[in-house]
Amino acid sequence: MTSSSSTSSTSSVFSALAPYGWDEAWADAFASYDAEGLLAGRVVRVDRGQCDVVTAAGMLRADTAFVTPHDPLRVVCTGDWVAVEPGGTPRYVRTYLPRRTAFVRSTSSKRSEGQILAANVDHAIVAVSLAVELDLGRIERFLALAWESGAQPVVVLTKADLVPDDATLGHLVQDVETTAPGVPVLTVSALDGDGLDVLTAVVSGGTSVLLGQSGAGKSTLANALVGAEVMEVQAARDVDGKGRHTTTTRNLLALPGGGVLIDTPGLRGVGLFDAETGVGQVFSEIEELAGECRFHDCAHESEPGCAVLDAIEDGRLPERRLESYRKLIRENQRIVAKTDARVRAELRREWKKRGAEGKAAMEAKRGGRWQ
């Protein structure tokens, strides 16, 4: 291939893939595969061992069997940049480029495996419906996974037109802001368009993944951002605000105003998967307070000089936040312990230490009774 034809080929790849997030860094990472004659593309959908890949040659269907290891975190997923064979029947994905970010949750299996939901995401948009009572604990759980992925979380309160007055809406936003330190909280009504301009500006700067329960209004939101009825929408049940899974696969959509959106099925289960950093980010005010405790290993239960308990006592920290923090920390430790022998051993030592301390305290209490 001559220099001029190579330059022309590179230019055509950029013009075709730039709307999907292709940049100089991805081109550099792909250079060795380009030299082999493989096609660069981004995965827009995966189902049953095959995927749709957008390339400079158009949309291609490719088999992922070549890149299906035993590790479920290393399968091809929506958002991956891949190297695809230029021809053949079937056509295969050879490999995917190293991921910049990855959104992972634990599966419901007893083996506690991780499931990758989306890759190379810049913004994790957590959609929360205002048609039902806010579940702050679930929001915290989504945010922990989002922070752990490496993406910037954004909470979008959907169906804002159903809230009767501005004062009530302001209180709801404040509740979520307290739950989500460092996270933008937006209110949007896809029905009348309120707030869509702000959200459009956010998602225009990279790749965003849309997360939330069924009935949160994700598909309606996706249609509003794309400006077309690309996702099927069904009404949520009046009794609990939940909808059926109208989105059954993760789909990557190029947005007319720039940026890329990955819509996902409604998530019933949002299990943590090695998300210690993410949990710490969600509860950053607790971690900051913990640094002021008298003891570095303070459990924030009954220890003297505990800054966290002091903050609860004087009203600076809601008790619900500490309870939620403890719950997610325990859950994350259990998941990690099942997959990491070293952590399992450390947990056992900690449990034995706590058990011995509890036994000693109980014996001292009993001894005091008989004196």
Side-chain angles (χ1 to χ4, degrees), residues 10 56 68 77 87 119 131 147 157 179 197 200 213 215 229 289 292 315 353 360-361:
T10 301
T68 306
C77 77
W147 280 121
L157 303 179
T179 299
D197 55 341
T200 299
Q213 289 182 285
E229 296 295 315
L289 286 167
E292 302 172 13
K353 178 184 174 184

Side-chain angles (χ1 to χ4, degrees), residues 16-17 20 40-44 52-60 81 252:
L17 297 182
Y20 292 89
R42 194 166 196 190
V43 177
V44 301
D52 295 330
V53 184
V54 60
T55 72
M59 191 72 72
L60 304 176
W81 285 102
L252 185 146

Side-chain angles (χ1 to χ4, degrees), residues 28-361:
D28 290 344
F30 190 78
S32 61
Y33 302 111
D34 185 39
E36 294 179 35
L38 298 174
L39 297 175
R42 194 166 196 190
V43 177
V44 301
R45 187 174 181 233
V46 179
D47 63 280
R48 298 179 182 178
Q50 293 193 314
C51 62
D52 295 330
V53 184
V54 60
T55 72
M59 191 72 72
L60 304 176
R61 186 75 167 165
D63 197 302
T64 65
F66 201 83
V67 204
T68 306
H70 295 299
D71 185 348
L73 296 181
R74 299 188 180 184
V75 299
V76 172
C77 77
T78 303
D80 271 328
W81 285 102
V82 294
V84 186
E85 294 176 344
T89 305
R91 186 193 307 267
Y92 286 98
V93 171
R94 284 281 190 87
T95 189
Y96 61 81
L97 300 184
R99 293 161 176 159
R100 294 178 182 174
T101 61
F103 193 96
V104 180
R105 68 166 176 175
S106 67
T107 65
S108 57
S109 72
K110 294 181 180 179
R111 290 178 294 182
S112 300
E113 294 176 336
Q115 177 191 18
I116 184 163
L117 300 179
N120 303 313
V121 172
D122 301 295
H123 297 101
I125 300 173
V126 181
V128 180
S129 173
L130 290 176
V132 293
E133 185 177 351
L134 288 176
D135 185 342
L136 299 178
R138 181 168 286 270
I139 294 174
E140 289 163 342
R141 184 177 288 273
F142 269 113
L143 291 176
L145 294 179
W147 280 121
E148 191 68 33
S149 76
Q152 165 66 52
V154 179
V155 176
V156 175
L157 303 179
T158 66
K159 307 181 184 181
D161 52 281
L162 298 180
V163 179
D165 59 85
D166 291 343
T168 302
L169 184 59
H171 287 309
L172 292 171
V173 170
Q174 188 174 23
D175 285 344
V176 176
E177 286 177 339
T178 302
T179 299
V183 177
V185 179
L186 310 178
T187 59
V188 170
S189 169
L191 183 66
D192 55 30
D194 283 354
L196 275 176
D197 55 341
V198 179
L199 181 58
T200 299
V202 171
V203 300
S204 65
T207 298
S208 302
V209 62
L210 197 50
L211 307 160
Q213 289 182 285
S214 297
K218 297 188 306 301
S219 295
T220 302
L221 203 56
N223 288 337
L225 290 169
V226 175
E229 296 295 315
V230 293
M231 306 303 296
E232 183 183 356
V233 177
Q234 290 182 350
R237 299 190 301 241
D238 289 336
V239 64
D240 57 9
K242 294 181 181 178
R244 284 182 283 174
H245 291 293
T246 53
T247 303
T248 56
T249 58
R250 286 168 279 282
N251 302 278
L252 185 146
L253 310 164
L255 301 175
V260 175
L261 182 70
I262 299 176
D263 192 19
T264 65
L267 299 176
R268 287 195 181 95
V270 195
L272 301 184
F273 185 79
D274 197 1
E276 180 181 355
T277 301
V279 173
Q281 192 81 34
V282 175
F283 299 94
S284 56
E285 82 276 35
I286 295 179
E287 301 245 317
E288 186 175 339
L289 286 167
E292 302 172 13
C293 291
R294 181 184 301 176
F295 304 111
H296 75 277
D297 59 347
C298 183
H300 321 307
E301 292 175 351
S302 59
E303 296 87 345
C306 175
V308 174
L309 295 181
D310 287 345
I312 289 178
E313 185 72 25
D314 62 25
R316 285 178 293 141
L317 178 68
E319 190 169 357
R320 187 206 67 79
R321 286 281 285 170
L322 179 57
E323 291 174 355
S324 186
Y325 173 70
R326 287 170 173 161
K327 179 180 179 181
L328 293 188
I329 286 289
R330 285 195 301 268
E331 178 183 329
N332 192 68
Q333 286 177 332
R334 285 196 298 270
I335 290 294
V336 173
K338 290 179 181 179
T339 58
D340 188 317
R342 179 184 58 80
V343 175
R344 279 201 302 270
E346 289 178 359
L347 275 179
R348 283 198 203 97
R349 284 195 293 271
E350 180 64 22
W351 290 334
K352 286 181 179 178
K353 178 184 174 184
R354 289 281 175 89
E357 289 173 350
K359 184 178 180 182

